[in-house]
Amino acid sequence: MAQALIWAMPVFPCLSSSSTSSAAAAAASLPASPLHHRSSLRTARALPTLLTITTSTTDIEAEALWTWLAQKGAVSDEATAVRPACVHHGRGLLAHRTISQGDELLSIPRKLWINLETVKASAIGRFCEGLKPWVAIALFLVREKAQSNSSWRPYLDILPQALDSPLFWSDEELAELQGTQLLGSTLGYREYVESEVNELFDKVIKPNPDLFDSSLFTYDAFLWAFGILRSRTFAPLTGDELALVPLADLVNHLAGLEVEKPCWEKTTAGIFTRQEVLLMRAAKTFHAGQEVVMQYGKSKNNAQLALDYGLVEYDAFSGSNNRDSFMLTLEIPKSDRLFDDKLDIAQLNGLDSSVYFDLTRGQGPPESMLTFLRLTALGGSDAFLLEALFRNTVWDHLSSPVSRDNEESICEAMIEGCKSALYGYQSTVEEDLLLLNNDNLDPRTRIAVVVRQGEKCVLQEVQTWFEARMNELDQLEYYAERRLRDLGLLDEKGNMTAWARVWN
């Protein structure tokens, strides 16, 4: 019965939709991907270590951006609490004065956002009708970047020319991700962007040579624009509201920052003339001269941080962190003769035949995963639970062990699945730990090692959990025993009661 379980490594299934592939759906909507970080930051060994890569810009470019925004009325030396500056790990925002948590840091009006409205109002606007928001904005970015007289030049000049998401890695660098889910996600996104570029070239660029120089609108140029949008946009400015916000997107991420509430708000401002603005608030208290930072997303794992921003978090002291994760997809095989009944039960409980579970280091398998596993492996003498009589209660029954055979089946399947997944990596956890102790390790290699080491640690923990479960099968209480107890036929010690002996 262990063969009744199918599991797979998904490509960010949490971002999927029914009409597109997982990677395509994620790319199309460009979900919350706040900002960027461009450095290799080392902190004290007792603190989480933030690993990123720097693409630095000059002070002249920062001053040009500030002057441009000041001329537009968006910032001022007196009123704005932050300044763009070179920090020890790249470019970021520095506090101009003491700022308390929740204080307003800056306010950028909608007219200075690069969004779909910006594109539609431009010379290429009529050619962008019907395009996905990210595609239209990417097209605009590539075209404006090539124009020396662009009105957006002060902002475009401060954008990094090189990005360090795995989307931009060489084949040799990607080889370090062998066996990881991040590799599949990276290749999926690349394929998606390429398909969008090919379609855009045929429908928009090639038929309009007067507006679009085909030599400029290449796959690499669009991949760069895609990377800019992934790393510098975030909720609430995602999806149809996707927008780049100058200055605001210079804020960097801080590892371990315990902040749930977003630092960004879309609101209205003004007394006589109301206008929509992007308001940024302080995630914590900052003093004059300190770098102002934010939390890019507490729920993001290291693979997502790497893909979106080219960074990972790693605690060099303990060798672990809560960003280590493995996203597991479990499926009810269509070859299962009980597939329809199992699918019906899964759908009654808000699931489908294929379900993903985010496994996080140190947390063990979630109860919902164990319940789905038991459903998937249900068969033989346990199949009676699939009958219509149990439709409204079967999920509750499956939340606890059903039978020894059923529990043994899911343990065997998970142990073998973990072993198989671990075999796909090119290194062991111990080898990765030795690499991470090398301070001279190439930053991109370090990102790859942190991601793959984290995935393997999670898989090892899950394997160990199910191996321990196998050893306690004889001590577990199963459905039959629970049912007899509910009927008063078993006492707390598992012995038959006097009432049961009467019936016997």
Side-chain angles (χ1 to χ4, degrees):
M1 229 194 292
Q3 301 303 314
L5 171 65
I6 295 179
W7 76 330
M9 298 185 189
V11 181
F12 293 126
C14 58
L15 305 179
S16 66
S17 71
S18 58
S19 59
T20 60
S21 69
S22 297
S29 61
L30 280 171
S33 306
L35 315 176
H36 60 293
H37 208 314
R38 303 171 299 283
S39 69
S40 183
L41 172 64
R42 301 292 303 211
T43 62
R45 290 182 62 84
L47 298 175
T49 300
L50 187 61
L51 308 172
T52 56
I53 302 169
T54 299
T55 302
S56 63
T57 55
T58 66
D59 287 335
I60 294 175
E61 291 166 338
E63 287 300 320
L65 176 66
W66 183 263
T67 300
W68 178 68
L69 290 170
Q71 291 172 347
K72 301 289 185 181
V75 299
S76 71
D77 291 337
E78 298 77 22
T80 308
V82 294
R83 298 284 187 280
C86 287
V87 292
H88 66 285
H89 48 266
R91 183 167 297 285
L93 296 175
L94 291 186
H96 186 56
R97 57 176 180 267
T98 298
I99 305 164
S100 298
Q101 183 175 4
D103 282 356
E104 178 181 328
L105 297 174
L106 52 82
S107 177
I108 306 297
R110 188 182 184 95
K111 65 181 181 181
L112 294 179
W113 307 352
I114 295 181
N115 57 10
L116 203 52
E117 290 178 9
T118 310
V119 179
K120 290 180 178 179
S122 72
I124 65 172
R126 62 191 180 93
F127 300 101
C128 296
E129 293 295 332
L131 295 180
K132 298 179 181 69
W134 86 261
V135 176
I137 298 173
L139 181 64
F140 177 85
L141 278 178
V142 173
R143 185 173 185 273
E144 291 296 309
K145 186 178 178 223
Q147 297 187 23
S148 59
N149 62 344
S150 170
S151 61
W152 294 92
R153 179 54 51 195
Y155 174 64
L156 296 171
D157 285 346
I158 211 166
L159 294 177
Q161 300 307 303
L163 299 169
D164 286 285
S165 159
L167 290 169
F168 303 93
W169 292 9
S170 67
D171 289 344
E172 182 179 357
E173 289 166 333
L174 285 176
E176 297 291 340
L177 293 174
Q178 179 182 330
T180 67
Q181 296 178 317
L182 178 55
L183 178 59
S185 300
T186 300
L187 298 179
Y189 279 120
R190 280 184 174 183
E191 182 180 349
Y192 172 73
V193 172
E194 184 176 12
S195 68
E196 290 292 328
V197 171
N198 290 338
E199 182 178 353
L200 188 66
F201 191 88
D202 291 338
K203 293 183 177 180
V204 177
I205 297 171
K206 189 175 180 180
N208 301 284
D210 293 340
L211 274 177
F212 305 104
D213 182 348
S214 60
S215 66
L216 299 176
F217 295 89
T218 63
Y219 165 75
D220 287 340
F222 271 94
L223 190 63
W224 170 82
F226 179 76
I228 289 294
L229 289 169
R230 282 201 67 84
S231 63
R232 304 174 86 95
T233 61
F234 50 93
L237 301 182
T238 58
D240 291 340
E241 289 291 314
L242 186 68
L244 290 166
V245 183
L247 187 64
D249 62 359
L250 284 175
V251 65
N252 286 318
H253 169 82
L254 177 64
L257 185 60
E258 295 295 325
V259 177
E260 292 284 356
K261 187 176 180 181
C263 296
W264 297 77
E265 301 174 13
K266 188 172 66 172
T267 184
T268 55
I271 300 175
F272 300 106
T273 303
R274 305 291 288 176
Q275 62 177 335
E276 196 168 32
V277 300
L278 191 285
L279 184 69
M280 179 179 174
R281 296 192 181 277
K284 60 187 292 290
T285 296
F286 301 100
H287 298 290
Q290 287 187 327
E291 183 182 6
V292 173
V293 294
M294 69 174 287
Q295 168 62 252
Y296 282 5
K298 288 188 67 175
S299 64
K300 287 181 178 289
N301 59 38
N302 269 331
Q304 292 169 312
L305 290 176
L307 189 64
D308 287 348
Y309 319 113
L311 69 89
V312 291
E313 288 185 14
Y314 177 69
D315 187 338
F317 183 77
S318 67
S320 66
N321 66 75
N322 58 9
R323 300 283 188 176
D324 292 339
S325 179
F326 186 91
M327 197 171 291
L328 175 66
T329 295
L330 298 175
E331 298 178 356
I332 304 172
K334 292 186 178 180
S335 59
D336 189 334
R337 66 181 183 84
L338 300 172
F339 175 82
D340 290 339
D341 290 324
K342 293 179 180 180
L343 176 60
D344 183 43
I345 291 170
Q347 290 177 337
L348 284 173
N349 290 277
L351 304 176
D352 211 326
S353 61
S354 179
V355 184
Y356 74 89
F357 298 93
D358 201 2
L359 306 179
T360 303
R361 191 169 179 181
Q363 296 185 10
E367 289 299 320
S368 56
M369 187 182 100
L370 295 175
T371 302
F372 187 80
L373 279 168
R374 293 180 185 117
L375 172 66
T376 303
L378 209 59
S381 59
D382 299 322
F384 71 92
L385 287 171
L386 297 173
E387 295 175 5
L389 176 65
F390 294 95
R391 275 297 189 268
N392 295 328
T393 60
V394 63
W395 199 254
D396 289 336
H397 294 316
L398 293 172
S399 65
S400 299
V402 174
S403 68
R404 195 186 193 284
D405 286 345
N406 181 271
E407 202 74 2
E408 185 176 17
S409 292
I410 68 172
C411 289
E412 290 175 348
M414 287 300 301
I415 291 169
E416 289 306 310
C418 288
K419 288 180 178 179
S420 178
L422 287 166
Y423 183 76
Y425 296 95
Q426 64 179 359
S427 61
T428 66
V429 169
E430 292 72 25
E431 289 169 341
D432 287 344
L433 288 174
L434 287 176
L435 285 172
L436 292 173
N437 286 329
N438 179 5
D439 290 339
N440 297 318
L441 189 65
D442 174 76
R444 288 185 173 181
T445 302
R446 185 176 293 275
I447 289 174
V449 175
V450 168
V451 170
R452 75 190 188 205
Q453 187 255 1
E455 287 188 5
K456 284 180 285 191
C457 285
V458 173
L459 285 168
Q460 286 183 344
E461 285 186 357
V462 172
Q463 179 181 332
T464 299
W465 191 94
F466 280 99
E467 287 172 343
R469 189 71 157 185
M470 284 281 284
N471 292 329
E472 62 184 24
L473 290 177
D474 291 335
Q475 286 76 50
L476 297 177
E477 183 178 73
Y478 300 105
Y479 171 80
E481 288 82 2
R482 293 195 301 273
R483 182 60 176 160
L484 289 174
R485 192 184 308 283
D486 291 342
L487 293 173
L489 302 180
L490 283 182
D491 60 23
E492 292 301 321
K493 295 182 179 181
N495 300 316
M496 294 182 66
T497 63
W499 181 254
R501 287 192 291 272
V502 170
W503 280 99
N504 283 336

